């Protein structure tokens, strides 16, 4: 057969990614073992019933046809209102392009700002798809690690040191996956000044903005940033719609109008009835307050349950759906810790090194389980940590 393009093989290079612990835990759970899965960030509850009913109504009403490339006008209006709330900048529908999920919005942002051979800076720890998204654009990138000792707040000086003459963009994520860190205003102001002085795009992944404990700051609202910031957003986390695949990109109107051409040759618009359900969910905030409350409560429950646990330190963990724990004082090899924890206590977690070198020595705990399950996992972690130390002594 003819050979495939080299581009495909370069998106995700072969090799270990750290996800082996998760896949093993899932396989064992499916085989009947009582594994507690704390390794993946997907809600343990269904999409709000009001959103589901809106979708059913749209299907039965005959909304089965093509939609506008940038999204239905009413959908873009609804997304603009949410973006105004998210970023603190008055946003119009012309500054919005709808996309099938936050990942496609990120893909559009990267394709829209970088040509082949251009350079970007990616702040880590990062969501797993970031490197592959830049490789798909055949762009070069440098990873800058936000340090655990700084609470995973990135330093502008470290970002500046990574810039090259052909750097075009910086990618950040707040509230952060995997660390749960919510970047401070001071941190974002320093990055914004760098973007303005070097005339750079800032790609800001804000899909967890409703889960930030009320402390989210969007860099789009900072001086000089509205014209150079592309905000990636999604309904997956905020509205409990992970499988619906609907998100959007906010940016300058001139960039958004250009990106409509990308939708022409990729998505050709969104699904009609899903779009109409999303409109209802956005206009009525279906599930938003409840979901935010669930994760804020779970975060407090879990952190209270492990408070005072010797040799384990909480890093970041102010928002999002995750808690990041520094276990290096017990076992510097976070992947070994995760495997041993799975084998001894039947709890699946993610090794921090899966998300970048700065998270090495950590484990990521997903809060996508009910309080009683999180409390049981915390008890097992206490037992395991104590046993691990005694064996090492």
């Amino acid at each position: 057969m003819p050979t495939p393009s080299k581009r495909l093989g370069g998106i995700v290079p072969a090799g270990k990614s750290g996800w082996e612990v998760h896949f093993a835990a899932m396989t064992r759970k499916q085989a009947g073992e009582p594994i507690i899965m704390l390794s993946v960030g997907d809600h343990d509850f269904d999409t709000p019933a009001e959103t589901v009913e809106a979708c059913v109504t749209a299907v039965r009403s005959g909304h089965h046809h093509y939609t506008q490339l940038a999204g239905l006008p009413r959908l873009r209006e609804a997304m603009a209102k949410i973006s105004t709330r998210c970023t603190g900048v008055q946003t119009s529908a012309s500054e919005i392009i709808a996309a099938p999920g936050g990942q496609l919005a990120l893909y559009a942002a990267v394709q829209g700002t970088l040509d082949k051979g251009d350079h970007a800076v990616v702040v880590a720890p990062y969501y797993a798809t970031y490197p592959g998204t830049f490789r798909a654009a055949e762009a070069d990138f440098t990873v800058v690690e936000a340090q655990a000792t700084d609470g995973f707040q990135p330093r502008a000086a470290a970002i500046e040191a990574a810039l090259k003459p052909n750097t075009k963009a910086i990618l950040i994520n707040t509230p952060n996956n995997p660390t749960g860190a919510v970047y401070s205003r001071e941190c974002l102001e320093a990055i914004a000044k760098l973007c303005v002085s070097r005339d750079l795009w800032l790609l800001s992944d804000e899909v967890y903005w409703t889960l930030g404990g009320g402390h989210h700051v969007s860099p789009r609202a900072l001086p000089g940033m509205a014209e150079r910031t592309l905000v990636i957003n999604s309904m997956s986390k905020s509205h409990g719609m992970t499988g619906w695949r609907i998100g959007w990109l906010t940016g300058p109107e001139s960039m958004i109008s250009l990106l409509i051409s990308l939708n022409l040759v990729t998505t050709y618009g969104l699904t009609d009835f899903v779009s109409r359900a999303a409109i209802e969910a956005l206009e009525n905030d279906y599930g938003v307050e409840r979901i935010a409350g669930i994760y804020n409560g779970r975060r407090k429950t879990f952190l209270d349950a492990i408070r005072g646990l010797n040799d384990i330190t909480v890093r970041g963990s102010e928002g999002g759906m995750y808690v990041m724990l520094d276990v290096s004082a017990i076992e510097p090899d976070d992947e070994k810790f995760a495997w041993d924890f799975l084998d001894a206590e039947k709890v699946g977690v993610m090794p921090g090194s899966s998300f970048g070198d700065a998270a090495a020595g950590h484990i990521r705990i997903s809060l996508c389980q009910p309080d009683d399950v999180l409390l049981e996992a915390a008890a097992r972690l206490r037992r395991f940590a104590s046993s691990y130390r005694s064996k090492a002594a």
Side-chain angles (χ1 to χ4, degrees):
M1 61 178 281
T3 59
S5 73
K6 294 179 181 178
R7 184 182 303 107
L8 292 180
I11 293 175
V12 182
K16 294 179 69 177
S17 64
W19 286 81
E20 290 85 355
V21 181
H22 165 70
F23 294 133
M26 181 62 73
T27 299
R28 288 168 59 171
K29 183 175 180 65
Q30 291 172 343
E33 286 192 56
I35 304 292
I36 295 178
M37 295 296 299
L38 302 182
S39 53
V40 67
D42 194 358
H43 303 300
D44 59 309
F45 46 82
D46 293 336
T47 299
E50 299 95 330
T51 304
V52 174
E53 288 305 311
C55 186
V56 171
T57 298
V59 170
R60 288 177 173 164
S61 299
H63 295 297
H64 314 148
H65 304 282
Y66 292 130
T67 61
Q68 290 94 328
L69 292 175
L72 292 171
R74 187 176 159 196
L75 177 62
R76 295 175 77 192
E77 289 283 355
M79 289 174 167
K81 289 179 180 178
I82 297 297
S83 187
T84 297
R85 285 163 49 188
C86 171
T87 69
V89 177
Q90 188 64 41
T91 306
S92 67
S94 61
E95 296 172 297
I96 299 289
I97 187 167
Q103 176 58 41
L104 202 286
L106 171 64
Y107 179 84
V110 171
Q111 291 288 330
T113 56
L114 294 155
D115 288 314
K116 181 178 180 179
D118 282 344
H119 178 259
V121 171
V122 180
V123 174
Y126 50 68
Y127 179 55
T129 68
Y130 287 0
T133 305
F134 285 100
R135 294 190 191 104
E138 299 183 85
D140 185 22
F141 63 93
T142 299
V143 174
V144 172
E145 303 282 355
Q147 299 302 311
T149 50
D150 292 331
F152 294 113
Q153 299 282 325
R155 294 188 178 186
I159 295 173
E160 185 172 19
L163 299 180
K164 299 180 179 182
N166 63 334
T167 302
K168 296 290 184 65
I170 299 169
L171 172 59
I172 64 172
N173 170 212
T174 179
N176 183 260
N177 174 13
T179 67
V182 179
Y183 294 173
S184 69
R185 176 176 290 274
E186 293 74 18
C187 164
L188 293 170
E189 286 175 342
I191 294 173
K193 288 179 181 178
L194 186 59
C195 290
V196 171
S197 66
R198 297 291 293 266
D199 197 24
L200 302 174
W201 288 102
L202 183 63
L203 314 184
S204 184
D205 182 345
E206 302 179 25
V207 300
Y208 289 93
W209 75 279
T210 60
L211 307 182
H215 304 298
H216 173 66
V217 176
S218 173
R220 184 172 182 248
L222 300 177
M225 291 304 293
E227 67 190 53
R228 66 183 66 256
T229 303
L230 297 177
V231 179
I232 296 97
N233 227 315
S234 167
M235 299 185 71
S236 291
K237 306 305 191 293
S238 57
H239 293 74
M241 298 174 68
T242 52
W244 296 67
R245 312 312 307 131
I246 190 156
W248 69 94
L249 188 68
T250 304
E253 182 177 350
S254 57
M255 171 63 86
I256 296 300
S257 64
L258 288 173
L259 286 173
I260 293 173
S261 298
L262 186 63
N263 275 10
L264 173 67
V265 296
T266 54
T267 67
Y268 206 77
L270 296 180
T271 305
D272 194 357
F273 51 85
V274 171
S275 296
R276 294 173 191 275
I279 290 168
E280 295 292 326
L282 289 165
E283 290 181 343
N284 295 284
D285 281 341
Y286 289 151
V288 174
E289 185 175 347
R290 182 179 69 86
I291 291 168
I294 286 172
Y295 286 108
N296 288 337
R298 289 177 178 181
R299 187 180 309 109
K300 183 178 186 303
T301 293
F302 186 82
L303 292 177
D304 284 349
I306 64 165
R307 198 176 306 280
L309 183 52
N310 291 336
D311 297 329
I312 291 183
T313 303
V314 179
R315 305 287 191 186
S317 306
E318 300 97 359
M321 297 163 59
Y322 310 102
V323 166
M324 185 68 86
L325 303 179
D326 185 342
V327 297
S328 59
I330 299 174
E331 171 56 68
D333 186 338
D334 55 282
E335 191 166 350
K336 183 178 187 302
F337 186 100
W339 278 114
D340 290 348
F341 190 29
L342 175 62
D343 290 338
E345 295 288 351
K346 299 188 185 304
V347 179
V349 300
M350 282 296 293
S353 54
S354 306
F355 306 100
D357 291 343
H362 294 70
I363 57 172
R364 188 192 77 171
I365 304 290
S366 167
L367 300 174
C368 297
Q369 293 289 346
D371 282 3
D372 59 335
V373 176
L374 292 174
L375 288 171
E376 175 60 25
R380 295 186 192 187
L381 179 60
R382 280 185 173 277
R383 183 169 62 209
F384 176 75
S386 176
S387 172
Y388 208 101
R389 283 193 297 267
S390 65
K391 289 177 182 177

PDB file of all heavy atoms in Angstrom, residues 249-279:
ATOM      1  N   LEU A 249     -13.674  29.034  20.645  1.00  0.00           N
ATOM      2  CA  LEU A 249     -12.481  29.840  20.734  1.00  0.00           C
ATOM      3  C   LEU A 249     -12.897  31.303  20.712  1.00  0.00           C
ATOM      4  O   LEU A 249     -13.712  31.707  19.880  1.00  0.00           O
ATOM      5  CB  LEU A 249     -11.548  29.540  19.562  1.00  0.00           C
ATOM      6  CG  LEU A 249     -10.149  30.178  19.608  1.00  0.00           C
ATOM      7  CD1 LEU A 249      -9.320  29.556  20.724  1.00  0.00           C
ATOM      8  CD2 LEU A 249      -9.442  30.004  18.265  1.00  0.00           C
ATOM      9  N   THR A 250     -12.335  32.084  21.630  1.00  0.00           N
ATOM     10  CA  THR A 250     -12.573  33.524  21.688  1.00  0.00           C
ATOM     11  C   THR A 250     -11.304  34.251  21.276  1.00  0.00           C
ATOM     12  O   THR A 250     -10.213  33.904  21.747  1.00  0.00           O
ATOM     13  CB  THR A 250     -12.947  33.961  23.116  1.00  0.00           C
ATOM     14  OG1 THR A 250     -14.079  33.215  23.564  1.00  0.00           O
ATOM     15  CG2 THR A 250     -13.264  35.445  23.168  1.00  0.00           C
ATOM     16  N   GLY A 251     -11.442  35.248  20.406  1.00  0.00           N
ATOM     17  CA  GLY A 251     -10.269  35.989  19.981  1.00  0.00           C
ATOM     18  C   GLY A 251     -10.638  37.218  19.175  1.00  0.00           C
ATOM     19  O   GLY A 251     -11.827  37.529  18.989  1.00  0.00           O
ATOM     20  N   PRO A 252      -9.633  37.939  18.674  1.00  0.00           N
ATOM     21  CA  PRO A 252      -9.914  39.112  17.846  1.00  0.00           C
ATOM     22  C   PRO A 252     -10.762  38.747  16.631  1.00  0.00           C
ATOM     23  O   PRO A 252     -10.580  37.681  16.032  1.00  0.00           O
ATOM     24  CB  PRO A 252      -8.522  39.575  17.415  1.00  0.00           C
ATOM     25  CG  PRO A 252      -7.588  38.995  18.426  1.00  0.00           C
ATOM     26  CD  PRO A 252      -8.199  37.694  18.843  1.00  0.00           C
ATOM     27  N   GLU A 253     -11.687  39.622  16.272  1.00  0.00           N
ATOM     28  CA  GLU A 253     -12.609  39.334  15.176  1.00  0.00           C
ATOM     29  C   GLU A 253     -11.869  38.993  13.885  1.00  0.00           C
ATOM     30  O   GLU A 253     -12.295  38.092  13.145  1.00  0.00           O
ATOM     31  CB  GLU A 253     -13.526  40.541  14.949  1.00  0.00           C
ATOM     32  CG  GLU A 253     -14.571  40.333  13.867  1.00  0.00           C
ATOM     33  CD  GLU A 253     -15.502  41.511  13.727  1.00  0.00           C
ATOM     34  OE1 GLU A 253     -15.462  42.418  14.593  1.00  0.00           O
ATOM     35  OE2 GLU A 253     -16.277  41.531  12.748  1.00  0.00           O
ATOM     36  N   SER A 254     -10.764  39.665  13.607  1.00  0.00           N
ATOM     37  CA  SER A 254     -10.023  39.399  12.370  1.00  0.00           C
ATOM     38  C   SER A 254      -9.480  37.976  12.339  1.00  0.00           C
ATOM     39  O   SER A 254      -9.497  37.314  11.296  1.00  0.00           O
ATOM     40  CB  SER A 254      -8.871  40.404  12.218  1.00  0.00           C
ATOM     41  OG  SER A 254      -8.014  40.354  13.356  1.00  0.00           O
ATOM     42  N   MET A 255      -9.008  37.477  13.487  1.00  0.00           N
ATOM     43  CA  MET A 255      -8.517  36.097  13.545  1.00  0.00           C
ATOM     44  C   MET A 255      -9.669  35.107  13.442  1.00  0.00           C
ATOM     45  O   MET A 255      -9.582  34.093  12.733  1.00  0.00           O
ATOM     46  CB  MET A 255      -7.745  35.869  14.850  1.00  0.00           C
ATOM     47  CG  MET A 255      -7.375  34.409  15.106  1.00  0.00           C
ATOM     48  SD  MET A 255      -6.269  33.694  13.868  1.00  0.00           S
ATOM     49  CE  MET A 255      -4.676  34.195  14.532  1.00  0.00           C
ATOM     50  N   ILE A 256     -10.758  35.368  14.137  1.00  0.00           N
ATOM     51  CA  ILE A 256     -11.903  34.453  14.108  1.00  0.00           C
ATOM     52  C   ILE A 256     -12.443  34.322  12.681  1.00  0.00           C
ATOM     53  O   ILE A 256     -12.767  33.213  12.230  1.00  0.00           O
ATOM     54  CB  ILE A 256     -13.007  34.939  15.066  1.00  0.00           C
ATOM     55  CG1 ILE A 256     -12.507  34.910  16.523  1.00  0.00           C
ATOM     56  CG2 ILE A 256     -14.275  34.099  14.907  1.00  0.00           C
ATOM     57  CD1 ILE A 256     -12.074  33.543  17.023  1.00  0.00           C
ATOM     58  N   SER A 257     -12.513  35.413  11.937  1.00  0.00           N
ATOM     59  CA  SER A 257     -13.028  35.336  10.569  1.00  0.00           C
ATOM     60  C   SER A 257     -12.126  34.482   9.687  1.00  0.00           C
ATOM     61  O   SER A 257     -12.607  33.756   8.808  1.00  0.00           O
ATOM     62  CB  SER A 257     -13.179  36.740   9.976  1.00  0.00           C
ATOM     63  OG  SER A 257     -11.924  37.383   9.866  1.00  0.00           O
ATOM     64  N   LEU A 258     -10.815  34.521   9.921  1.00  0.00           N
ATOM     65  CA  LEU A 258      -9.893  33.675   9.172  1.00  0.00           C
ATOM     66  C   LEU A 258     -10.073  32.201   9.526  1.00  0.00           C
ATOM     67  O   LEU A 258      -9.977  31.324   8.662  1.00  0.00           O
ATOM     68  CB  LEU A 258      -8.451  34.102   9.439  1.00  0.00           C
ATOM     69  CG  LEU A 258      -7.992  35.423   8.827  1.00  0.00           C
ATOM     70  CD1 LEU A 258      -6.606  35.781   9.337  1.00  0.00           C
ATOM     71  CD2 LEU A 258      -7.993  35.343   7.309  1.00  0.00           C
ATOM     72  N   LEU A 259     -10.332  31.938  10.808  1.00  0.00           N
ATOM     73  CA  LEU A 259     -10.452  30.551  11.262  1.00  0.00           C
ATOM     74  C   LEU A 259     -11.711  29.865  10.742  1.00  0.00           C
ATOM     75  O   LEU A 259     -11.806  28.635  10.772  1.00  0.00           O
ATOM     76  CB  LEU A 259     -10.410  30.487  12.790  1.00  0.00           C
ATOM     77  CG  LEU A 259      -9.029  30.721  13.403  1.00  0.00           C
ATOM     78  CD1 LEU A 259      -9.122  30.820  14.916  1.00  0.00           C
ATOM     79  CD2 LEU A 259      -8.068  29.608  13.003  1.00  0.00           C
ATOM     80  N   ILE A 260     -12.678  30.630  10.272  1.00  0.00           N
ATOM     81  CA  ILE A 260     -13.865  30.014   9.673  1.00  0.00           C
ATOM     82  C   ILE A 260     -13.456  29.149   8.483  1.00  0.00           C
ATOM     83  O   ILE A 260     -14.044  28.092   8.235  1.00  0.00           O
ATOM     84  CB  ILE A 260     -14.886  31.091   9.263  1.00  0.00           C
ATOM     85  CG1 ILE A 260     -15.443  31.784  10.516  1.00  0.00           C
ATOM     86  CG2 ILE A 260     -16.041  30.481   8.461  1.00  0.00           C
ATOM     87  CD1 ILE A 260     -16.344  32.972  10.219  1.00  0.00           C
ATOM     88  N   SER A 261     -12.406  29.550   7.783  1.00  0.00           N
ATOM     89  CA  SER A 261     -11.913  28.749   6.663  1.00  0.00           C
ATOM     90  C   SER A 261     -11.390  27.396   7.137  1.00  0.00           C
ATOM     91  O   SER A 261     -11.478  26.399   6.409  1.00  0.00           O
ATOM     92  CB  SER A 261     -10.807  29.504   5.922  1.00  0.00           C
ATOM     93  OG  SER A 261     -11.284  30.700   5.368  1.00  0.00           O
ATOM     94  N   LEU A 262     -10.833  27.356   8.346  1.00  0.00           N
ATOM     95  CA  LEU A 262     -10.357  26.089   8.887  1.00  0.00           C
ATOM     96  C   LEU A 262     -11.534  25.153   9.150  1.00  0.00           C
ATOM     97  O   LEU A 262     -11.456  23.947   8.884  1.00  0.00           O
ATOM     98  CB  LEU A 262      -9.566  26.329  10.172  1.00  0.00           C
ATOM     99  CG  LEU A 262      -8.875  25.099  10.783  1.00  0.00           C
ATOM    100  CD1 LEU A 262      -7.817  24.540   9.851  1.00  0.00           C
ATOM    101  CD2 LEU A 262      -8.250  25.460  12.134  1.00  0.00           C
ATOM    102  N   ASN A 263     -12.635  25.694   9.676  1.00  0.00           N
ATOM    103  CA  ASN A 263     -13.825  24.864   9.868  1.00  0.00           C
ATOM    104  C   ASN A 263     -14.371  24.333   8.544  1.00  0.00           C
ATOM    105  O   ASN A 263     -14.917  23.226   8.485  1.00  0.00           O
ATOM    106  CB  ASN A 263     -14.914  25.658  10.590  1.00  0.00           C
ATOM    107  CG  ASN A 263     -14.757  25.622  12.099  1.00  0.00           C
ATOM    108  OD1 ASN A 263     -13.744  25.154  12.615  1.00  0.00           O
ATOM    109  ND2 ASN A 263     -15.741  26.127  12.820  1.00  0.00           N
ATOM    110  N   LEU A 264     -14.213  25.109   7.493  1.00  0.00           N
ATOM    111  CA  LEU A 264     -14.677  24.673   6.177  1.00  0.00           C
ATOM    112  C   LEU A 264     -14.033  23.353   5.769  1.00  0.00           C
ATOM    113  O   LEU A 264     -14.699  22.480   5.198  1.00  0.00           O
ATOM    114  CB  LEU A 264     -14.369  25.752   5.129  1.00  0.00           C
ATOM    115  CG  LEU A 264     -14.640  25.383   3.666  1.00  0.00           C
ATOM    116  CD1 LEU A 264     -16.134  25.209   3.425  1.00  0.00           C
ATOM    117  CD2 LEU A 264     -14.065  26.452   2.741  1.00  0.00           C
ATOM    118  N   VAL A 265     -12.743  23.199   6.087  1.00  0.00           N
ATOM    119  CA  VAL A 265     -12.018  22.007   5.622  1.00  0.00           C
ATOM    120  C   VAL A 265     -11.792  20.985   6.739  1.00  0.00           C
ATOM    121  O   VAL A 265     -11.088  19.990   6.538  1.00  0.00           O
ATOM    122  CB  VAL A 265     -10.668  22.401   4.990  1.00  0.00           C
ATOM    123  CG1 VAL A 265     -10.891  23.243   3.751  1.00  0.00           C
ATOM    124  CG2 VAL A 265      -9.764  23.133   5.982  1.00  0.00           C
ATOM    125  N   THR A 266     -12.384  21.214   7.917  1.00  0.00           N
ATOM    126  CA  THR A 266     -12.265  20.223   8.994  1.00  0.00           C
ATOM    127  C   THR A 266     -13.640  19.758   9.466  1.00  0.00           C
ATOM    128  O   THR A 266     -14.104  18.691   9.100  1.00  0.00           O
ATOM    129  CB  THR A 266     -11.452  20.789  10.172  1.00  0.00           C
ATOM    130  OG1 THR A 266     -12.025  22.047  10.597  1.00  0.00           O
ATOM    131  CG2 THR A 266      -9.993  20.988   9.803  1.00  0.00           C
ATOM    132  N   THR A 267     -14.315  20.570  10.225  1.00  0.00           N
ATOM    133  CA  THR A 267     -15.568  20.139  10.848  1.00  0.00           C
ATOM    134  C   THR A 267     -16.796  20.363   9.975  1.00  0.00           C
ATOM    135  O   THR A 267     -17.800  19.687  10.127  1.00  0.00           O
ATOM    136  CB  THR A 267     -15.791  20.899  12.164  1.00  0.00           C
ATOM    137  OG1 THR A 267     -16.011  22.286  11.876  1.00  0.00           O
ATOM    138  CG2 THR A 267     -14.579  20.777  13.073  1.00  0.00           C
ATOM    139  N   TYR A 268     -16.724  21.340   9.100  1.00  0.00           N
ATOM    140  CA  TYR A 268     -17.873  21.794   8.303  1.00  0.00           C
ATOM    141  C   TYR A 268     -19.070  22.125   9.205  1.00  0.00           C
ATOM    142  O   TYR A 268     -20.215  21.817   8.888  1.00  0.00           O
ATOM    143  CB  TYR A 268     -18.259  20.771   7.235  1.00  0.00           C
ATOM    144  CG  TYR A 268     -18.956  21.424   6.054  1.00  0.00           C
ATOM    145  CD1 TYR A 268     -18.246  22.128   5.100  1.00  0.00           C
ATOM    146  CD2 TYR A 268     -20.346  21.364   5.920  1.00  0.00           C
ATOM    147  CE1 TYR A 268     -18.877  22.753   4.038  1.00  0.00           C
ATOM    148  CE2 TYR A 268     -20.986  21.991   4.862  1.00  0.00           C
ATOM    149  CZ  TYR A 268     -20.253  22.680   3.931  1.00  0.00           C
ATOM    150  OH  TYR A 268     -20.878  23.307   2.881  1.00  0.00           O
ATOM    151  N   GLY A 269     -18.755  22.734  10.338  1.00  0.00           N
ATOM    152  CA  GLY A 269     -19.810  23.131  11.258  1.00  0.00           C
ATOM    153  C   GLY A 269     -20.094  22.074  12.310  1.00  0.00           C
ATOM    154  O   GLY A 269     -19.512  20.990  12.304  1.00  0.00           O
ATOM    155  N   LEU A 270     -20.984  22.411  13.236  1.00  0.00           N
ATOM    156  CA  LEU A 270     -21.342  21.521  14.334  1.00  0.00           C
ATOM    157  C   LEU A 270     -22.660  20.803  14.073  1.00  0.00           C
ATOM    158  O   LEU A 270     -23.441  21.192  13.205  1.00  0.00           O
ATOM    159  CB  LEU A 270     -21.461  22.325  15.634  1.00  0.00           C
ATOM    160  CG  LEU A 270     -20.195  22.997  16.154  1.00  0.00           C
ATOM    161  CD1 LEU A 270     -20.505  23.749  17.436  1.00  0.00           C
ATOM    162  CD2 LEU A 270     -19.094  21.991  16.384  1.00  0.00           C
ATOM    163  N   THR A 271     -22.908  19.782  14.868  1.00  0.00           N
ATOM    164  CA  THR A 271     -24.169  19.050  14.802  1.00  0.00           C
ATOM    165  C   THR A 271     -25.315  19.962  15.232  1.00  0.00           C
ATOM    166  O   THR A 271     -25.248  20.623  16.278  1.00  0.00           O
ATOM    167  CB  THR A 271     -24.105  17.825  15.722  1.00  0.00           C
ATOM    168  OG1 THR A 271     -22.954  17.047  15.368  1.00  0.00           O
ATOM    169  CG2 THR A 271     -25.353  16.980  15.581  1.00  0.00           C
ATOM    170  N   ASP A 272     -26.376  19.984  14.427  1.00  0.00           N
ATOM    171  CA  ASP A 272     -27.482  20.925  14.633  1.00  0.00           C
ATOM    172  C   ASP A 272     -28.142  20.745  15.998  1.00  0.00           C
ATOM    173  O   ASP A 272     -28.242  21.676  16.797  1.00  0.00           O
ATOM    174  CB  ASP A 272     -28.499  20.735  13.495  1.00  0.00           C
ATOM    175  CG  ASP A 272     -29.518  21.862  13.409  1.00  0.00           C
ATOM    176  OD1 ASP A 272     -29.485  22.767  14.260  1.00  0.00           O
ATOM    177  OD2 ASP A 272     -30.355  21.837  12.488  1.00  0.00           O
ATOM    178  N   PHE A 273     -28.604  19.531  16.297  1.00  0.00           N
ATOM    179  CA  PHE A 273     -29.374  19.339  17.532  1.00  0.00           C
ATOM    180  C   PHE A 273     -28.495  19.476  18.779  1.00  0.00           C
ATOM    181  O   PHE A 273     -28.961  19.930  19.828  1.00  0.00           O
ATOM    182  CB  PHE A 273     -30.133  18.009  17.539  1.00  0.00           C
ATOM    183  CG  PHE A 273     -29.319  16.792  17.207  1.00  0.00           C
ATOM    184  CD1 PHE A 273     -28.595  16.124  18.176  1.00  0.00           C
ATOM    185  CD2 PHE A 273     -29.301  16.297  15.911  1.00  0.00           C
ATOM    186  CE1 PHE A 273     -27.854  14.996  17.880  1.00  0.00           C
ATOM    187  CE2 PHE A 273     -28.563  15.170  15.595  1.00  0.00           C
ATOM    188  CZ  PHE A 273     -27.834  14.516  16.572  1.00  0.00           C
ATOM    189  N   VAL A 274     -27.213  19.117  18.677  1.00  0.00           N
ATOM    190  CA  VAL A 274     -26.308  19.320  19.807  1.00  0.00           C
ATOM    191  C   VAL A 274     -26.102  20.815  20.042  1.00  0.00           C
ATOM    192  O   VAL A 274     -26.074  21.288  21.178  1.00  0.00           O
ATOM    193  CB  VAL A 274     -24.957  18.608  19.561  1.00  0.00           C
ATOM    194  CG1 VAL A 274     -23.935  19.010  20.625  1.00  0.00           C
ATOM    195  CG2 VAL A 274     -25.151  17.103  19.569  1.00  0.00           C
ATOM    196  N   SER A 275     -25.977  21.578  18.954  1.00  0.00           N
ATOM    197  CA  SER A 275     -25.815  23.024  19.070  1.00  0.00           C
ATOM    198  C   SER A 275     -26.998  23.648  19.799  1.00  0.00           C
ATOM    199  O   SER A 275     -26.836  24.537  20.647  1.00  0.00           O
ATOM    200  CB  SER A 275     -25.673  23.655  17.687  1.00  0.00           C
ATOM    201  OG  SER A 275     -24.499  23.217  17.037  1.00  0.00           O
ATOM    202  N   ARG A 276     -28.201  23.189  19.469  1.00  0.00           N
ATOM    203  CA  ARG A 276     -29.398  23.777  20.081  1.00  0.00           C
ATOM    204  C   ARG A 276     -29.520  23.392  21.558  1.00  0.00           C
ATOM    205  O   ARG A 276     -29.986  24.193  22.379  1.00  0.00           O
ATOM    206  CB  ARG A 276     -30.634  23.376  19.274  1.00  0.00           C
ATOM    207  CG  ARG A 276     -30.605  24.001  17.885  1.00  0.00           C
ATOM    208  CD  ARG A 276     -31.704  23.515  16.959  1.00  0.00           C
ATOM    209  NE  ARG A 276     -31.442  23.962  15.599  1.00  0.00           N
ATOM    210  CZ  ARG A 276     -31.781  25.151  15.102  1.00  0.00           C
ATOM    211  NH1 ARG A 276     -32.417  26.026  15.877  1.00  0.00           N
ATOM    212  NH2 ARG A 276     -31.487  25.470  13.863  1.00  0.00           N
ATOM    213  N   ALA A 277     -29.092  22.183  21.901  1.00  0.00           N
ATOM    214  CA  ALA A 277     -29.057  21.815  23.315  1.00  0.00           C
ATOM    215  C   ALA A 277     -28.022  22.667  24.058  1.00  0.00           C
ATOM    216  O   ALA A 277     -28.252  23.104  25.192  1.00  0.00           O
ATOM    217  CB  ALA A 277     -28.723  20.332  23.462  1.00  0.00           C
ATOM    218  N   ALA A 278     -26.892  22.916  23.399  1.00  0.00           N
ATOM    219  CA  ALA A 278     -25.853  23.735  24.014  1.00  0.00           C
ATOM    220  C   ALA A 278     -26.340  25.164  24.247  1.00  0.00           C
ATOM    221  O   ALA A 278     -26.011  25.775  25.266  1.00  0.00           O
ATOM    222  CB  ALA A 278     -24.606  23.744  23.125  1.00  0.00           C
ATOM    223  N   ILE A 279     -27.110  25.682  23.309  1.00  0.00           N
ATOM    224  CA  ILE A 279     -27.677  27.028  23.487  1.00  0.00           C
ATOM    225  C   ILE A 279     -28.505  27.089  24.766  1.00  0.00           C
ATOM    226  O   ILE A 279     -28.363  28.011  25.584  1.00  0.00           O
ATOM    227  CB  ILE A 279     -28.527  27.420  22.270  1.00  0.00           C
ATOM    228  CG1 ILE A 279     -27.640  27.652  21.045  1.00  0.00           C
ATOM    229  CG2 ILE A 279     -29.368  28.662  22.568  1.00  0.00           C
ATOM    230  CD1 ILE A 279     -28.411  27.754  19.736  1.00  0.00           C
TER     231      ILE A 279
END
